[in-house]
Amino acid sequence: MRKRNITAVMLGLSLMLFAAGCKKKGPAPPPPPPPKQEAPPPPPPARPVIGSFTAEPSTIERGQSATLRWRVENATDISIDQGLGIVQPSGTRQVFPSNTTTYTLTARGPGGSASANATVSVTAPPPPPPPPPPPPKRSLVDRLTSEVQDAFFDYDKSDIREDARATLTRNADALKGILGEFQGQTISVEGHCDERGSAEYNLGLGDRRATAAKEFLVQLGVQTDRLRTISLGKERPQCTESEESCWQKNRRAHFSVGQ
C-alpha cells in the first residue's frame, strides 16, 4: 500500500513537470540600445606657413637698395619690423639700409605664429680714387713764353695800333695772373726796332715803344711797379733778312723776366 502511494505521488509530479514544459514560451526581450557615439572634435586651425622671405641682393654698397620678397599662408596678421609694418600675404618692398640690417617677418593666425629673417649686408663703397697730383709748377719764363705775346708797331711809330691793342689786352690778363703767382718778380717790357736807322735813333724809338706798351697795360690794371721798360733798339733782331716781312717782326714790344 505504501509503495502505491509513493508511485502515485511520483507520477503526479512527473505530469506536472511535463505540463509546465509544454506551455508556450513568450517573446524574447529586445536587445539593449547601442552606446551613444560622440562627435569627433574639429581639427585644430592650420598654423601660419612662411613659404619664402628673401632679400635680393643680400649684399649691397651703402647708398644702394635691396628688395624684400615674401609669401605667407594661413595668417591673418603679417608684419615686418624695421619700420615696414603690416604687409599683405605676398609682395615686395624696396629698402635702403645704411648698415647691415636683419628684417624679421612675423605671421600670426588662429593656428599660432611663425617668423623668418632676411639679412641685407651693407658694405662701404670703395674710396674715391685720389685726386691726380697737381701739375708741376711752371717757371716764370715758361709762362711768359706761352701766355704773353709780342705787340707789333708800324715803321718808325710807337703808337699802339689796333692789332697790338688786342694783343696787349690779352697780355694784361695773363700778366695779372703771372705776377700774382710770382710775388716779388718784375717783368721787363722790351722795345725793339728793325735795322733801319742809326743805333742811337732806334734806342730812342725802342724806349718810346716799350713805354707805350707799359702805359697801356697799366691802364688795364697791371701794377706799374711790377713793370720795367728797356730799349734794345736794333741790337737783338728776331729776324735778320732785309725785307719788310722780317722788319715787321723786329718792330715789337717783347716781355721778359725783369732784371
Side-chain angles (χ1 to χ4, degrees):
M1 188 71 178
R2 185 177 180 182
K3 288 183 179 181
R4 290 179 179 176
N5 291 337
I6 291 173
T7 300
V9 171
M10 292 298 292
L11 182 60
L13 289 173
S14 296
L15 293 171
M16 290 177 64
L17 290 171
F18 180 77
C22 291
K23 288 182 179 180
K24 187 178 180 181
K25 294 182 179 180
K36 187 177 180 181
Q37 296 290 331
E38 295 289 340
R47 290 178 58 83
V49 175
I50 300 176
S52 63
F53 182 45
T54 60
E56 302 172 3
S58 60
T59 300
I60 62 173
E61 290 183 359
R62 184 173 293 115
Q64 296 179 337
S65 67
T67 299
L68 300 179
R69 300 180 185 276
W70 65 90
R71 180 174 53 82
V72 180
E73 298 176 356
N74 305 326
T76 57
D77 180 15
I78 307 164
S79 63
I80 303 176
D81 65 353
Q82 304 296 342
L84 299 182
I86 302 298
V87 296
Q88 296 298 315
S90 64
T92 62
R93 184 70 62 87
Q94 197 172 26
V95 293
F96 298 84
S98 57
N99 297 293
T100 297
T101 302
T102 297
Y103 297 87
T104 300
L105 182 148
T106 302
R108 297 180 179 86
S113 64
S115 63
N117 296 328
T119 299
V120 179
S121 299
V122 179
T123 61
K137 184 177 179 180
R138 297 168 61 195
S139 69
L140 176 56
V141 172
D142 287 343
R143 292 199 62 180
L144 282 176
T145 301
S146 62
E147 299 177 36
V148 181
Q149 297 177 333
D150 291 347
F152 297 98
F153 295 86
D154 288 331
Y155 172 69
D156 200 24
K157 297 289 182 64
S158 60
D159 300 332
I160 305 297
R161 66 191 193 189
E162 194 63 31
D163 62 325
R165 293 174 63 89
T167 298
L168 291 173
T169 299
R170 292 191 298 269
N171 287 351
D173 292 333
L175 288 170
K176 291 175 190 177
I178 292 170
L179 294 174
E181 180 179 351
F182 294 90
Q183 295 291 330
Q185 289 282 354
T186 59
I187 303 298
S188 291
V189 185
E190 302 173 357
H192 293 264
C193 304
D194 62 37
E195 64 185 33
R196 293 171 292 181
S198 66
E200 183 179 2
Y201 179 82
N202 281 317
L203 282 174
L205 180 58
D207 182 66
R208 293 193 296 275
R209 287 173 175 170
T211 300
K214 175 185 175 180
E215 290 177 350
F216 188 91
L217 292 170
V218 169
Q219 291 176 7
L220 294 177
V222 181
Q223 295 173 266
T224 184
D225 60 345
R226 305 287 299 278
L227 299 176
R228 300 285 186 266
T229 59
I230 182 173
S231 176
L232 296 175
K234 61 179 181 178
E235 300 303 318
R236 295 184 186 176
Q238 188 177 21
C239 181
T240 57
E241 296 181 9
S242 297
E243 59 180 13
E244 178 56 34
S245 63
C246 186
W247 294 333
Q248 173 62 92
K249 293 177 182 178
N250 293 332
R251 299 191 298 264
R252 61 197 174 108
H254 178 71
F255 300 85
S256 62
V257 178
Q259 303 298 323

